[in-house]
Amino acid sequence: NAGVTQTPKFRVLKTGQSMTLLCAQDMNHEYMYWYRQDPGMGLRLIHYSVGEGTTAKGEVPDGYNVSRLKKQNFLLGLESAAPSQTSVYFCASMWAGKIYEQYFGPGTRLTVT
Amino acid sequence: AQTVTQSQPEMSVQEAETVTLSCTYDTSESDYYLFWYKQPPSRQMILVIRQEAYKQQNATENRFSVNFQKAAKSFSLKISDSQLGDAAMYFCAYRFWVGGSEKLVFGKGTKLTVNP
């Protein structure tokens, strides 16, 4: 199993450009998450999905959109990138149920200039 | 508001010694779960240990153990026989449910340095 993978690993955008981050998991997990991590901060939840075709807002959803067309993939989109979106983005997945932990991807470092 | 506080931004320990990382949380929920995650320089978040709030017994995973004090809302991590590979950022996290929606809140992390 590859676990949770993220594409790309690094990206530099200019203000106003758009891009999509891809998260893929091969563990047949129902739940998937997108977080951002900023210096001196813990992870903050952007959006999450509890199943194919469903998404929900997290703590900091503004400026981002997501889609979960396939169970194994969770896409995070930035329509018009801003310098405030410079961050490291982590995807995670989890079995449905209370007793399980989230499995994290390796992260994507995004810089918006 | 649900919050997780890690009061030690940085800690250091000598190799083979024991270190304790502190975490407190604020909640009005009765059903929740607590986690410690490790983030090495590679950035990958790795689960270290988890604790179900309804269990009184403290969780243990090899050299890692927790001191869970539910009434005090405290969840500290003890690392015994510290190894160089334990050097990382450690994050405390708290999972709870509100209106059927899951919430996972992370603390700001503690940077652990292990000195040879």
Side-chain angles (χ1 to χ4, degrees):
Chain A
N1 284 351
V4 181
T5 58
Q6 292 182 231
T7 308
K9 289 184 170 52
F10 303 93
R11 185 71 185 269
V12 178
L13 287 179
K14 294 187 188 314
T15 298
Q17 286 186 318
S18 63
M19 78 162 294
T20 300
L21 281 65
L22 170 64
C23 176
Q25 53 93 6
D26 60 2
M27 297 173 282
N28 203 33
H29 286 171
E30 290 84 358
Y31 291 7
M32 296 187 75
Y33 307 81
W34 275 108
Y35 294 91
R36 60 178 289 173
Q37 184 180 35
D38 300 299
M41 305 277 290
L43 276 70
R44 291 184 293 168
L45 183 63
I46 304 171
H47 287 280
Y48 66 101
S49 168
V50 300
E52 184 178 327
T54 70
T55 63
K57 293 181 180 180
E59 181 185 356
V60 288
D62 294 341
Y64 305 95
N65 56 75
V66 289
S67 64
R68 183 100 181 266
L69 299 179
K70 294 183 179 181
K71 187 177 184 179
Q72 63 268 33
N73 295 338
F74 194 30
L75 304 177
L76 178 71
L78 286 73
E79 291 186 350
S80 179
S84 61
Q85 294 178 304
T86 293
S87 188
V88 180
Y89 291 85
F90 286 95
C91 176
S93 70
M94 188 182 76
W95 294 103
K98 294 183 177 180
I99 65 171
Y100 297 107
E101 69 270 21
Q102 295 185 4
Y103 292 80
F104 284 83
T108 294
R109 183 176 294 278
L110 175 66
T111 301
V112 183
T113 60
Chain B
Q2 317 284 2
T3 58
V4 175
T5 302
Q6 293 179 245
S7 59
Q8 307 149 316
E10 297 189 27
M11 292 282 285
S12 63
V13 63
Q14 290 297 124
E15 196 174 3
E17 297 292 308
T18 295
V19 65
T20 298
L21 309 183
S22 66
C23 173
T24 58
Y25 57 96
D26 183 21
T27 183
S28 56
E29 306 296 325
S30 58
D31 184 18
Y32 55 89
Y33 293 74
L34 296 161
F35 303 86
W36 277 99
Y37 280 92
K38 170 185 177 181
Q39 186 180 40
S42 66
R43 293 202 317 243
Q44 191 97 28
M45 296 285 281
I46 304 164
L47 179 70
V48 174
I49 199 166
R50 64 168 176 248
Q51 173 83 41
E52 293 90 335
Y54 63 86
K55 288 188 176 180
Q56 293 185 338
Q57 186 174 4
N58 290 326
T60 299
E61 288 288 340
N62 300 314
R63 298 183 295 107
F64 299 88
S65 61
V66 299
N67 183 6
F68 174 46
Q69 301 290 328
K70 190 172 184 179
K73 297 178 184 175
S74 171
F75 183 59
S76 60
L77 175 69
K78 185 171 82 171
I79 306 174
S80 304
D81 186 24
S82 297
Q83 300 176 358
L84 294 178
D86 294 334
M89 285 289 291
Y90 285 82
F91 292 94
C92 179
Y94 154 67
R95 178 192 296 161
F96 61 100
W97 285 260
V98 176
S101 296
E102 177 194 354
K103 307 292 182 184
L104 182 60
V105 180
F106 284 81
K108 294 185 178 182
T110 296
K111 182 179 180 181
L112 178 66
T113 301
V114 181
N115 300 311

